Amino acid sequence: MVILSKPAIEQFGCIRNKQAATLFPPLIPLVDLSKPDSRQQIIKACEEFGFFKVINHGVPMDFISRLESEATKFFSLPLSEKEKTGQSKPYGYGNKRIGPNGDVGWVEYLLLTTNQDPNLLGTENPESFRIALDNYMAAVKKMACEILEMIADGLKIQPRNVLSKLMMDEQSDSVFRLNHYPPCPEVVQSLNGTSSNVIGFGEHTDPQIISVLRSNNTSGLQISLRDGTWISVPPDQYSFFINVGDSLQVMTNGRFKSVKHRVLANSVKSRLSMIYFCGPPLSEKIAPLPSLMRGDQQSLYKEFTWFEYKKSAYSSRLADNRLMHFEKIVAS
């Protein structure tokens, strides 16, 4: 990634430090997947935060460390070598530009589909990288399916694979993303002397069902609480974080809320994150689950296919309320 001068850095957008996360945030919900009450804890976290941390997740640390090592090698390559994986349209290598609609960030990334072999041309050892990706994604997919089945159990909906089967479908439109945020020592100074953090990845929600995130031990991730307050998420390289996505918000008729999140660049250390976005098949119809509707409760959303929502979402800016176009006007 090319290091830019301070005027050039300003194009990425900044967050003033005085507007950053509160000093005494509520604790991020922690779910131990080995405990019998984990289902109830997951439901509570999805309702209150749309976000939680999981431990005893069953993903071997060896799979995690091997993929992190391979990803670190990849992002250390010269730009010309990284670009041999293909320009991100949408899959492949991307640098600074996030999507086609003008969003930029202090980030470079590799975006891959999970249902076909990735193009790893230009990497030092394509086969080693591919094996690391396959092992990691298979283990994370298994964990994600278990979490989705716990959600079904906690919501008392049958069959318990009503959500996980969308991921297990061979046509599942899940994607995997490796994000690398290089150190950004330049701090933008305003006229009154206050400093600002450079945006690594702007605020947004994820459009899929859930997202499974793991990062190295570098800070930067923030989530927005229901009142709009931003809080920092302490990094933990041994755990995973789960985001509720827009699709799950719709399927629960708004009982769960997709979490708005962002990443701020770190001034000293690189941040490497790995995100598995759990998507349904393109033809899958997304609507509130009938078993969750009570009495004369009305649906808050119009029915749509994942293809329709994905097309709409990726035609929007990151910070846009993408579900707004699919909300119903409900009579009071």
PDB file of all heavy atoms in Angstrom, residues 19 114 274 277 315:
ATOM      1  N   GLN A  19     -15.027  13.206  19.524  1.00  0.00           N
ATOM      2  CA  GLN A  19     -16.277  12.546  19.180  1.00  0.00           C
ATOM      3  C   GLN A  19     -16.138  11.031  19.169  1.00  0.00           C
ATOM      4  O   GLN A  19     -17.053  10.326  18.822  1.00  0.00           O
ATOM      5  CB  GLN A  19     -16.745  13.013  17.797  1.00  0.00           C
ATOM      6  CG  GLN A  19     -17.086  14.486  17.748  1.00  0.00           C
ATOM      7  CD  GLN A  19     -17.445  14.924  16.347  1.00  0.00           C
ATOM      8  OE1 GLN A  19     -17.129  14.256  15.361  1.00  0.00           O
ATOM      9  NE2 GLN A  19     -18.113  16.056  16.243  1.00  0.00           N
ATOM     10  N   THR A 114     -16.767 -17.869  -1.500  1.00  0.00           N
ATOM     11  CA  THR A 114     -16.446 -19.083  -0.742  1.00  0.00           C
ATOM     12  C   THR A 114     -16.765 -20.366  -1.487  1.00  0.00           C
ATOM     13  O   THR A 114     -16.446 -21.449  -1.004  1.00  0.00           O
ATOM     14  CB  THR A 114     -17.210 -19.094   0.600  1.00  0.00           C
ATOM     15  OG1 THR A 114     -18.624 -19.118   0.328  1.00  0.00           O
ATOM     16  CG2 THR A 114     -16.872 -17.872   1.437  1.00  0.00           C
ATOM     17  N   MET A 274     -10.196 -10.814   9.327  1.00  0.00           N
ATOM     18  CA  MET A 274     -10.727 -11.846   8.448  1.00  0.00           C
ATOM     19  C   MET A 274     -12.219 -11.924   8.715  1.00  0.00           C
ATOM     20  O   MET A 274     -12.626 -12.151   9.850  1.00  0.00           O
ATOM     21  CB  MET A 274     -10.081 -13.196   8.749  1.00  0.00           C
ATOM     22  CG  MET A 274      -8.581 -13.175   8.987  1.00  0.00           C
ATOM     23  SD  MET A 274      -8.026 -14.769   9.667  1.00  0.00           S
ATOM     24  CE  MET A 274      -6.274 -14.450   9.906  1.00  0.00           C
ATOM     25  N   PHE A 277     -18.708 -13.578   5.589  1.00  0.00           N
ATOM     26  CA  PHE A 277     -20.049 -13.024   5.463  1.00  0.00           C
ATOM     27  C   PHE A 277     -21.002 -14.140   5.044  1.00  0.00           C
ATOM     28  O   PHE A 277     -20.888 -14.675   3.934  1.00  0.00           O
ATOM     29  CB  PHE A 277     -20.067 -11.897   4.427  1.00  0.00           C
ATOM     30  CG  PHE A 277     -19.194 -10.720   4.773  1.00  0.00           C
ATOM     31  CD1 PHE A 277     -17.900 -10.638   4.281  1.00  0.00           C
ATOM     32  CD2 PHE A 277     -19.665  -9.697   5.579  1.00  0.00           C
ATOM     33  CE1 PHE A 277     -17.093  -9.552   4.592  1.00  0.00           C
ATOM     34  CE2 PHE A 277     -18.868  -8.608   5.894  1.00  0.00           C
ATOM     35  CZ  PHE A 277     -17.576  -8.536   5.398  1.00  0.00           C
ATOM     36  N   SER A 315     -25.219  -0.843  -4.593  1.00  0.00           N
ATOM     37  CA  SER A 315     -25.383   0.362  -5.405  1.00  0.00           C
ATOM     38  C   SER A 315     -25.445   1.605  -4.519  1.00  0.00           C
ATOM     39  O   SER A 315     -25.625   2.716  -5.014  1.00  0.00           O
ATOM     40  CB  SER A 315     -26.666   0.268  -6.250  1.00  0.00           C
ATOM     41  OG  SER A 315     -26.603  -0.813  -7.140  1.00  0.00           O
TER      42      SER A 315
END
